[in-house]
Amino acid sequence: MSATGRPRPGGRTARVRRAVLDATLAELGEHGIDALTVDAVAARAGVHRATVHRRWTDVGGLLADALADAGEDGWIPPDTGTLAGDLAELNRQVHAALVAQPPVTAAVIAAAGRSPQAAAALRAFWDDRYARCAVVVDRAVERGEAAPGTDRQTVLVAATAPVFHHVVLLGRPLDVEQVLAYAALAARAAATGPCTGRDTAGDRQ
Amino acid sequence: MSATGRPRPGGRTARVRRAVLDATLAELGEHGIDALTVDAVAARAGVHRATVHRRWTDVGGLLADALADAGEDGWIPPDTGTLAGDLAELNRQVHAALVAQPPVTAAVIAAAGRSPQAAAALRAFWDDRYARCAVVVDRAVERGEAAPGTDRQTVLVAATAPVFHHVVLLGRPLDVEQVLAYAALAARAAATGPCTGRDTAGDRQ
């Protein structure tokens, strides 16, 4: 578009998005997900509510875009030198994200049941994060800590899924000892036998 | 109450509950969660909508009670003779429940984000199931397949949480090979080291 000589259209659009997403997080942090409304977000952002409705549809759409925005970072997985160390750090980060304030991740998960946009945003976010984490397992295979052909996603999900399970589905707080126990368990399983299944976290070795 | 000589009040109440829960499952199966309404359930059950609103509040309350009803069964965990076999069968059953039609479990999970009743029902259901499953790990300890002091819930959640994670949070179908891979991974971890953390599935050994 810049070849036409016109100003890039991203300028105002990007400013509106930034204002709306900042307002979404501020409203979420102050009032919680149950009180989050498109109207309150529009008012706080200084944007007409019709604009917010047209572009984000509903609260699920706002949360989905906030998550997408959070995912557009330069995050790379931990590289501690061991699979056990990497999974432990990964689990700490997953747990921190799930209990973070404002609770963006938790709010998007809660919204996913009624918002296709939120559900799609969650899938895209996890897919991207698991793909970035595939290197954790690849390095473990190179170091001989996991068998060649070990499924990256199987090991990664084995470590992280219990943290989601406790916080999201069981609705129970988790202490750091438990968070690390699941990482240790996955690392030990990878060290003592093949972790097979379908590998969807990256290319099969 | 029966000492008063009056008919037990459970009769009509129980019949209404049965009709309403059956109608909830029928509506859910035919039209899906997005089209599930208190009015449609009341009409199908032949019960006044005010009665349904008063007793179940909303769709989340209806789904929560349907899940509570489903949990009032005589279910006992598998007893295949090995920890690996028990966890494999457990994971098959969890997966079957998550993809079942009508999707009661999946619908309650989806409703939990907006319905405190649904969220509480989910917690009660899982708490009850994990408590019933504690014996699976106890037997494994007795057979020497897991170290004494192994946390029951840690092993059980390590096996089952990835199945929930794929279906509920990643929104991806799971093949039986993957379902079993996570069970095998948890069993192997239990066999090769202590699985510690806080034990909330039953009394600590």
Side-chain angles (χ1 to χ4, degrees):
Chain A
M1 293 299 275
S2 61
T4 65
R6 284 180 297 176
R8 292 179 59 198
R12 182 175 146 69
T13 303
R15 279 197 307 278
V16 167
R17 183 188 183 215
R18 184 76 270 137
V20 168
L21 296 189
D22 286 349
T24 300
L25 296 187
E27 285 289 314
L28 181 65
E30 285 177 25
H31 305 300
I33 183 173
D34 288 335
L36 189 66
T37 64
V38 167
D39 287 2
V41 168
R44 187 170 198 135
V47 172
H48 200 283
R49 61 190 295 273
T51 303
V52 178
H53 273 292
R54 191 169 53 241
R55 181 154 168 203
W56 287 275
T57 309
D58 56 19
V59 164
L62 286 169
L63 291 169
D65 201 28
L67 185 67
D69 183 57
E72 291 161 9
D73 57 4
W75 186 85
I76 55 169
D79 185 7
T80 64
T82 67
L83 177 61
D86 287 355
L87 294 179
E89 179 54 27
L90 208 53
N91 268 18
R92 280 185 206 268
Q93 292 186 17
V94 166
H95 188 247
L98 289 175
V99 301
Q101 290 300 331
V104 183
T105 306
V108 178
I109 291 172
R114 58 191 144 158
S115 163
Q117 278 181 279
L122 266 184
R123 277 198 296 277
F125 184 81
W126 304 141
D127 285 350
D128 176 56
R129 292 289 152 131
Y130 282 117
R132 295 194 208 184
C133 286
V135 66
V136 163
V137 180
D138 290 344
R139 288 191 302 241
V141 171
E142 285 163 22
R143 287 188 297 252
E145 296 176 306
T150 292
D151 279 349
R152 295 134 158 181
Q153 185 159 340
T154 300
V155 175
L156 296 167
V157 169
T160 58
V163 180
F164 288 97
H165 196 67
H166 279 277
V167 177
V168 179
L169 289 180
L170 302 182
R172 300 248 183 264
L174 202 65
D175 59 30
V176 72
E177 188 187 358
Q178 288 177 294
V179 168
L180 299 181
Y182 289 114
L185 188 150
R188 201 162 63 237
T192 57
C195 292
T196 55
R198 198 158 4 114
D199 191 357
T200 53
D203 297 319
R204 184 174 284 278
Q205 297 248 332
Chain B
M1 293 296 277
S2 60
T4 64
R6 285 180 295 175
R8 291 179 59 198
R12 179 174 148 69
T13 302
R15 279 198 307 278
V16 168
R17 183 187 183 217
R18 185 76 270 139
V20 167
L21 296 188
D22 286 348
T24 300
L25 297 187
E27 285 289 314
L28 180 65
E30 285 177 24
H31 307 299
I33 184 174
D34 288 335
L36 190 66
T37 65
V38 167
D39 287 1
V41 168
R44 186 169 198 137
V47 173
H48 199 283
R49 61 190 294 273
T51 304
V52 178
H53 272 292
R54 190 168 55 241
R55 182 153 168 202
W56 287 275
T57 309
D58 55 20
V59 165
L62 287 168
L63 291 168
D65 201 28
L67 184 67
D69 183 57
E72 290 162 8
D73 58 2
W75 186 84
I76 55 169
D79 186 7
T80 65
T82 66
L83 177 60
D86 287 356
L87 294 179
E89 179 55 27
L90 209 54
N91 267 18
R92 281 185 205 269
Q93 293 186 18
V94 167
H95 189 247
L98 289 175
V99 301
Q101 292 299 331
V104 183
T105 306
V108 179
I109 290 171
R114 58 191 143 158
S115 164
Q117 278 181 280
L122 266 184
R123 277 199 296 277
F125 184 82
W126 304 142
D127 284 350
D128 177 57
R129 292 290 152 130
Y130 282 117
R132 295 194 209 184
C133 286
V135 66
V136 163
V137 180
D138 290 343
R139 288 192 302 241
V141 171
E142 284 164 23
R143 287 188 298 252
E145 298 176 305
T150 292
D151 278 349
R152 294 133 157 183
Q153 186 160 338
T154 300
V155 175
L156 296 167
V157 169
T160 57
V163 180
F164 287 96
H165 195 66
H166 279 277
V167 177
V168 179
L169 290 180
L170 302 183
R172 300 248 183 265
L174 202 65
D175 60 29
V176 72
E177 188 187 358
Q178 287 176 297
V179 168
L180 299 181
Y182 289 113
L185 188 149
R188 200 163 63 238
T192 56
C195 292
T196 55
R198 199 161 0 117
D199 190 357
T200 53
D203 297 321
R204 186 175 283 276
Q205 297 247 334

